[in-house]
């Protein structure tokens, strides 16, 4: 499916269907009011109707804000895919909403079909945006064009992440993830460095190696770099890439293990971010570091009671092998800080079930030391379409990960506040210099869904990609 933008009035564009987004208010003054009344149409959010004779598709929206339009655009594309129409056209709904509409169409149209033996043929081939504005806002075409092109890149990168998350553990092993990164590097002009088990040993990545030890699919550290000519800032992005999380010897119960192919979502998000920033040509040097491993069981498995020495020399008492993501991140965070001097270091991980308990399944948990940085991230994220909430650190929770026999324990001694204690564990692997530049994003909730929400159907959502691109864009605007 192709999305295009034309500097032409809507009436001059040739398409089989025209899309109209109506609020209760604009329905009242619409030329189609009576016709729509006959169908029983009410302009509430996401209600959809198609008038075949008039070649009109109408979708209700609560208001002309980005959240409402993004969701409605996704409804339109999902519904129209079920008919035999090949093209759709629409006008703008204010310049500020161009991106939301593009995202709604591109992300709403996504479906995962890799493992279906029969894929259904979709007739819809083209969605054409006119430069006309439904509400008669006059915007500079070049501004519309930039918003359109940038959103297309970001939404496509988000779908790229979703596709990778959806792949099965037998197909997306750490080695295959490294190959995906290498291919991305070739097509997008990135540098790529992959560390295999031997290199990981040489680099003292013992916590990460312990997690991956019982799998036939050996761990990989992937380092991608985007280095444009003139850079304003340098940013490191770290992803948890557990291609499968069985829990290890602290084995997950059967029902909790299903969907754990999604434990690589942080890594896949970082891959999507690298794709987006290189295509957006942002003036920011961006490094992606991925810790890819499989948490499995065999005779060589790491054990509760083991003490691991991480790359930075800290010792970790393992009390639960299912708290493995933080062990992988410990080493990858240390490696990233040793390798690149950056202005910001962000990590993305499906780290804790506790984060879902705290914030619900749709919201990313943001944790770090700097309130100033949190503020800037939330500001940049305001219209990204992603939900982010901040969870606060405190010294009492920090005491819960003390160990009697090592420097730190990989689980807390009390059950509550698990998302925060996991982040406080990671804090042990952030240097003093980087404390105020580090932010941890727990995407356990929003990274994967088994029931539809927002623009998403079943599967990976690409959580983290749009939010981070927005933040990096905000850095690019500052001189
Ligand atoms: N990958 C899981 C976290 C997770 C759970 C992500 C559900 C998405 C959905 C992580 O490795 C894990 O198992 N965490 C444990 C930590 C506990 C042992 C302290 C958890 O959340 O139960
Ligand atoms: Zn786990
Ligand atoms: Zn995990």
């Amino acid at each position: 499916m192709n999305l295009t933008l034309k500097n032409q009035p809507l009436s001059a564009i040739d398409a089989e269907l025209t899309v109209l987004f109506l609020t209760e208010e604009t329905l009242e003054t619409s030329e189609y009011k009576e016709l729509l009344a006959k169908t029983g149409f009410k302009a509430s959010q996401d209600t959809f109707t198609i008038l075949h004779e008039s070649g009109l598709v109408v979708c209700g929206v609560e208001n002309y804000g980005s959240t409402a339009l993004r969701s409605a655009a996704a409804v339109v594309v999902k519904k129209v895919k079920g008919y035999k129409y090949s093209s759709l056209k629409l006008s703008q709904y204010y310049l500020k909403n161009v991106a939301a509409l593009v995202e709604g169409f591109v992300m709403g149209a996504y479906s995962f079909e890799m493992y279906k033996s029969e894929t259904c043929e979709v007739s819809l081939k083209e969605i054409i945006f006119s430069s006309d504005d439904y509400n008669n806002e006059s915007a500079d075409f070049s501004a519309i064009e930039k918003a359109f092109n940038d959103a297309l890149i970001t939404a496509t990168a988000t779908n790229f992440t979703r596709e990778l998350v959806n792949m099965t553990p037998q197909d997306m092993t750490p080695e295959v993830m490294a190959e995906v990164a290498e291919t991305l590097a070739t097509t997008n002009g990135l540098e790529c460095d992959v560390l295999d088990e031997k290199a990981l040993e040489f680099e003292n990545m013992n916590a990460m190696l312990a997690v991956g030890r019982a799998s036939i699919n050996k761990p990989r550290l992937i380092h991608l770099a985007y280095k444009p000519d003139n850079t304003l800032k340098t940013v490191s992005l770290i992803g948890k890439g557990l291609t499968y999380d069985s829990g290890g010897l602290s084995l997950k119960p059967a029902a909790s293990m299903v969907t754990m192919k999604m434990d690589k979502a942080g890594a896949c998000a970082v891959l999507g971010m690298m794709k987006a920033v290189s295509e957006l040509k942002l003036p920011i040097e961006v490094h992606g570091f991925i810790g890819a491993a499989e948490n499995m069981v065999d005779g060589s498995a790491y054990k509760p009671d083991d003490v691991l020495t991480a790359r930075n020399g800290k010792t970790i008492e393992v009390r639960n092998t299912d708290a493995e993501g933080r062990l992988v991140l410990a080493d990858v965070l240390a490696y990233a800080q040793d390798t690149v001097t950056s202005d910001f270091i962000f990590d993305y991980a499906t780290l804790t079930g506790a984060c879902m308990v705290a914030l619900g399944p749709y919201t990313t948990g943001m944790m770090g030391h700097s309130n100033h940085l949190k503020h800037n991230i939330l500001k940049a994220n305001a219209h990204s379409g992603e939900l982010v909430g901040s969870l606060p650190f405190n010294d009492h929770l920090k005491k819960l990960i003390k160990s009697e026999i090592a420097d730190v324990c990989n689980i807390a001694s009390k059950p509550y506040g698990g998302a925060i204690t996991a982040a406080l564990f990671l804090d042990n692997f952030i240097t003093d210099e980087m404390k105020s530049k580090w932010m941890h994003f727990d995407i356990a909730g929003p990274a994967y869904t088994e029931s539809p929400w927002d623009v998403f159907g079943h599967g990976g959502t690409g959580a983290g990609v749009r939010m981070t691109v927005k933040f990096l864009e905000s850095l690019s605007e500052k001189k």
Side-chain angles (χ1 to χ4, degrees), residues 245 252 322-324:
D245 181 10
K252 284 184 184 292
D322 198 11
E324 84 300 334

Side-chain angles (χ1 to χ4, degrees), residues 64-289:
Y64 290 126
S66 60
T67 307
L69 284 165
R70 184 184 296 105
S71 173
V75 168
V76 167
V77 76
K78 281 180 187 155
K79 297 270 190 193
V80 173
K81 271 174 86 177
Y83 294 98
K84 293 285 171 210
Y85 293 105
S86 68
S87 56
L88 268 182
K89 64 174 176 176
L90 72 155
S91 47
Q92 305 294 329
Y93 290 79
Y94 304 119
L95 173 63
K96 68 177 175 64
N97 292 321
V98 175
L101 286 172
V102 171
E103 284 165 15
F105 287 125
V106 173
M107 294 170 66
Y110 173 79
S111 64
F112 181 59
E113 306 200 334
M114 193 176 282
Y115 302 105
K116 296 267 190 202
S117 56
E118 277 175 37
T119 54
C120 43
E121 180 61 31
V122 176
S123 304
L124 185 63
K125 295 282 180 284
E126 220 183 354
I127 298 180
I128 311 159
F129 282 57
S130 156
S131 50
D132 270 359
D133 192 291
Y134 180 75
N135 293 301
N136 299 318
E137 182 193 51
S138 65
D140 189 19
F141 183 70
S142 62
I144 300 176
E145 201 174 24
K146 179 166 176 16
F148 179 88
N149 290 333
D150 288 359
L152 200 53
I153 288 172
T154 308
T156 307
T158 309
N159 282 354
F160 169 76
T161 293
R162 297 167 78 188
E163 186 82 0
L164 296 176
V165 171
N166 289 335
M167 286 177 70
T168 58
Q170 90 261 30
D171 284 349
M172 185 53 68
T173 60
E175 206 177 335
V176 173
M177 196 180 278
E179 284 166 20
V180 169
E182 272 160 354
T183 307
L184 180 66
T186 308
T187 55
N188 283 35
L190 310 172
E191 291 174 16
C192 184
D193 189 19
V194 175
L195 274 60
D196 63 10
E197 318 93 274
K198 286 232 161 59
L200 290 170
E201 261 168 51
F202 180 78
E203 293 290 345
N204 286 320
M205 313 280 281
N206 300 313
M208 175 170 169
L209 280 165
V211 170
R213 202 162 62 206
S215 171
I216 53 163
N217 301 306
K218 296 301 174 198
R220 293 286 182 272
L221 183 139
I222 304 161
H223 176 190
L224 282 167
Y226 162 66
K227 295 179 176 171
D229 288 339
N230 300 308
T231 60
L232 301 170
K233 292 271 187 262
T234 301
V235 180
S236 292
L237 308 171
I238 321 298
K240 169 178 171 181
L242 264 290
T243 58
Y244 202 67
D245 181 10
S246 70
L249 285 174
S250 312
L251 197 66
K252 284 184 184 292
S256 314
M257 208 184 294
V258 187
T259 72
M260 277 303 135
K261 67 170 186 178
M262 59 80 105
D263 215 19
K264 60 186 181 297
C268 301
V270 169
L271 289 170
M273 292 167 199
M274 296 307 297
K275 177 173 161 68
V277 293
S278 52
E279 291 171 11
L280 291 165
K281 301 193 166 52
L282 296 185
I284 313 275
E285 181 169 320
V286 186
H287 293 262
F289 293 90

